Amino acid sequence: MPDPVLAAETSDEPGEHLTARPANPGQLGRPAFLMNAPFSYSCDVANNVWMEDLTDEERVPDPSRAFAQFLDLYNYVAAEALVALLPTPRTTGLQDLVFTANLGIVLEHLPDRNTVVISRYTSPPRQAETPVGKRFFEAMGYETHVPETHFEGEAELKHLHGNVYAGGYGQRSDRETYDWMERAFGMEVVKLRMTDPRMYHLDCTVFPLTPQQTLVCTSLYDRAEIRELEKHTEIIDVGEDETYTGICNSVRLNNVLLNSSHIHDLKSGTEEYDSEVRKNRALEDIASRAAFEVTYFNLSEYHKGGALLSCMMMHLNRFSYAFPLL
């Protein structure tokens, strides 16, 4: 009998497995993610509007606290999943390398999960990450592709089911990238134009909860695009206030939803505190209806970089979506 831990899915449906030893984390029969320890993390260049709202002094991360917060998340995830760590090269200026969700995407619909589309960044401080990601994945034996047009990884492209994805464009990624991906990899991308500068990656507004249901802040998108998305998934609409405080910036780990919350740093009765409470309660209500639990992590040092939890984890497979919910 093959070891079930080493079994790997060969289709987008749970239950069909390879008997051979997996060649890469994507083929592993349990969740696998890529993270990067914050050795190069800084907020020197304000490359999003959240960072621009802070003064230079407010934006400086505390390295000790940043590592402690990273390790809290890493240790929790590593207890249930394989967590590969992207090495930090000695290249200077890689201030955002810790946000691995932007590095690229492993195409889930391809049977061997051995194809990675590496990002071609719009953001100037991130453009040196492309060769870092390409070298890393090629060293692991992956087939890598870099588009000719802009694309910022799985933070912009969400797998729904089968060969269907939702892709955000208009700010950091180009619509043409998804046209190329559809031709090159036999996939269908429901394209969603992003116009709110605070919601500059798709993971801010779209979170696949299950293969059948997706959290979406529909008020931030064109109605025609939402109707197209509704053909492929049941939409759970979330409000703009909850979206701005990060309800969609979640990651599913088996039957647990991981989300960032710094509520214990906030003063009770303030507007920010009340907004965080509403977001947490909304997420917990959604989770309870779908048989999920919620676990929160304080990632306040990464808020200084305009990022939340989903930014820090790149899926090497989406095995969590095969986890049975009772």
Side-chain angles (χ1 to χ4, degrees):
M1 292 289 292
D3 184 342
V5 172
L6 296 180
E9 291 188 292
T10 58
S11 75
D12 52 68
E13 299 297 332
E16 185 178 346
H17 297 96
L18 290 169
T19 57
R21 187 175 297 274
N24 62 47
Q27 297 175 3
L28 192 65
R30 63 173 52 190
F33 299 93
L34 177 68
M35 299 180 70
N36 170 256
F39 289 106
S40 63
Y41 175 53
S42 77
C43 299
D44 293 344
V45 179
N47 60 342
N48 61 68
V49 295
W50 298 101
M51 298 176 73
E52 292 169 359
D53 285 345
L54 303 175
T55 66
D56 291 347
E57 292 75 19
E58 291 172 332
R59 227 172 45 230
V60 177
D62 178 330
S64 178
R65 197 160 189 247
F67 259 96
Q69 292 179 351
F70 169 84
L71 288 171
D72 282 346
L73 177 61
Y74 170 83
N75 288 332
Y76 184 95
V77 176
E80 298 292 334
L82 172 70
V83 180
L85 286 176
L86 175 70
T88 302
R90 303 188 79 170
T91 309
T92 58
L94 298 175
Q95 68 172 44
D96 295 323
L97 191 64
V98 68
F99 305 129
T100 53
N102 302 116
L103 191 62
I105 186 168
V106 177
L107 295 181
E108 179 72 14
H109 72 288
L110 297 180
D112 59 3
R113 294 181 180 84
N114 198 51
T115 301
V116 185
V117 178
I118 304 294
S119 295
R120 183 179 292 277
Y121 289 96
T122 300
S123 173
R126 305 207 64 173
Q127 291 169 3
E129 294 179 37
T130 298
V132 174
K134 193 171 189 298
R135 287 194 298 268
F136 172 79
F137 280 105
E138 287 179 350
M140 294 182 69
Y142 284 87
E143 177 184 314
T144 63
H145 302 264
V146 180
E148 295 183 358
T149 48
H150 291 126
F151 174 62
E152 293 202 356
E154 76 162 57
E156 292 277 59
L157 186 62
K158 294 298 181 183
H159 181 252
L160 300 180
H161 53 76
N163 71 333
V164 182
Y165 296 74
Y169 72 96
Q171 295 194 56
R172 299 294 181 93
S173 297
D174 296 333
R175 184 185 178 98
E176 293 77 10
T177 304
Y178 304 129
D179 295 336
W180 164 73
M181 292 176 78
E182 288 178 324
R183 294 192 302 270
F185 304 111
M187 53 197 285
E188 180 177 356
V189 182
V190 180
K191 304 168 187 71
L192 300 171
R193 181 174 180 81
M194 308 182 65
T195 58
D196 188 327
R198 292 186 178 274
M199 305 285 99
Y200 57 91
H201 285 132
L202 190 72
D203 63 349
C204 297
T205 56
V206 174
F207 170 58
L209 182 68
T210 70
Q212 296 80 34
Q213 295 180 309
T214 305
L215 273 62
V216 183
C217 185
T218 62
S219 62
L220 296 179
Y221 291 103
D222 180 80
R223 187 58 204 161
E225 292 182 337
I226 293 297
R227 285 196 297 270
E228 187 62 29
L229 185 62
E230 287 174 329
K231 295 177 182 178
H232 300 281
T233 186
E234 176 189 344
I235 290 177
I236 300 172
D237 200 0
V238 292
E240 290 186 22
D241 185 49
E242 291 82 5
T243 301
Y244 288 131
T245 45
I247 193 170
C248 290
N249 292 98
S250 300
V251 170
R252 176 175 169 178
L253 178 61
N254 295 326
N255 68 327
V256 181
L257 304 181
L258 313 181
N259 187 265
S260 172
S261 181
H262 62 311
I263 193 165
H264 296 300
D265 290 350
L266 303 176
K267 184 177 180 180
S268 177
T270 63
E271 182 178 351
E272 188 177 6
Y273 179 91
D274 291 343
S275 291
E276 190 69 14
V277 168
R278 286 194 295 272
K279 180 263 291 183
N280 290 354
R281 287 177 176 170
L283 183 60
E284 289 157 14
D285 287 345
I286 292 167
S288 65
R289 290 195 295 269
F292 285 100
E293 300 176 7
V294 181
T295 298
Y296 297 107
F297 298 87
N298 186 343
L299 298 173
S300 58
E301 292 303 312
Y302 300 95
H303 298 180
K304 297 174 181 179
L308 290 169
L309 187 144
S310 61
C311 307
M312 300 176 68
M313 298 174 62
M314 176 182 175
H315 289 77
L316 298 178
N317 65 35
R318 299 184 74 84
F319 195 81
S320 286
Y321 286 80
F323 187 89
L325 298 172
L326 303 178

